[in-house]
Amino acid sequence: MTTRRIEKIAQAILESVSTTILLQLRDPRIQNVTVLHVEVAPDVQSAKIYISIMGDEKSKALCMHGLNSAKGFIQSKIADRIQTRYTPVIQFVQDSALKDSMEALRILDELQVERETNTSEQESSSEEDRSTDEETREA
């Protein structure tokens, strides 16, 4: 159960990390990163930052390495933003939900195209059947 205080801290961490990654990090390895959401422990001593990284596996691994290298800098920016006794120790976690939803949409699009082709084939075959039925009646 998350309290309002924990939710506000999580939102502040999300905003702080997002702006830090976007505007202040100069590491060329860190590209195409989206901060999705943050989970803060009830004692506010640790936080999991869920991120999504676009690109191939090699660029994702490089980006994660860059983020882990910049963890201290990002944590200091969080300490500047939130006023708590302890600054949460952050941990970056890759969230594959976005990738999974994109894959599901791709599969649904393929099924839709397949249904449309099957429907058009059935319509054309039924038209052929009608024309052969008419020809046999005339003869």
Side-chain angles (χ1 to χ4, degrees), residues 52 54 96-109:
S52 173
M54 300 302 284
S96 63
L98 185 62
K99 179 183 161 196
D100 294 342
S101 65
M102 296 283 282
E103 182 67 19
L105 285 173
R106 184 188 64 78
I107 291 171
L108 288 172
D109 287 341

Side-chain angles (χ1 to χ4, degrees), residues 66-119:
L67 285 171
N68 285 325
S69 296
K71 193 182 289 189
F73 177 73
I74 295 170
Q75 196 163 337
S76 70
K77 294 298 178 183
I78 292 171
D80 292 343
R81 173 75 189 268
I82 62 173
Q83 303 298 319
T84 58
R85 178 176 290 176
Y86 301 105
T87 302
V89 176
I90 60 174
Q91 174 186 2
F92 291 103
V93 179
Q94 267 189 299
D95 193 4
S96 63
L98 185 62
K99 179 183 161 196
D100 294 342
S101 65
M102 296 283 282
E103 182 67 19
L105 285 173
R106 184 188 64 78
I107 291 171
L108 288 172
D109 287 341
E110 286 178 3
L111 287 173
Q112 181 67 26
V113 168
E114 190 175 305
R115 282 184 184 163
E116 289 173 357
T117 9
N118 288 341
T119 305

Side-chain angles (χ1 to χ4, degrees), residues 51-69:
I51 59 171
S52 173
I53 304 170
M54 300 302 284
D56 60 348
E57 293 302 318
K58 183 178 178 183
S59 63
K60 287 180 182 181
L62 280 173
C63 187
M64 282 298 290
H65 185 69
L67 285 171
N68 285 325
S69 296

Side-chain angles (χ1 to χ4, degrees), residues 8-67:
K8 288 177 82 173
I9 290 172
Q11 184 64 30
I13 291 172
L14 183 134
E15 291 171 4
S16 177
V17 171
S18 295
T19 56
T20 302
I21 288 173
L22 185 64
L23 302 174
Q24 295 174 347
L25 289 181
R26 301 286 184 239
D27 193 338
R29 298 175 291 184
I30 302 173
Q31 295 177 351
N32 302 325
V33 178
T34 305
V35 180
L36 300 175
H37 68 280
V38 176
E39 285 182 3
V40 180
D43 61 356
V44 193
Q45 290 196 13
S46 65
K48 287 185 180 179
I49 302 171
Y50 290 89
I51 59 171
S52 173
I53 304 170
M54 300 302 284
D56 60 348
E57 293 302 318
K58 183 178 178 183
S59 63
K60 287 180 182 181
L62 280 173
C63 187
M64 282 298 290
H65 185 69
L67 285 171

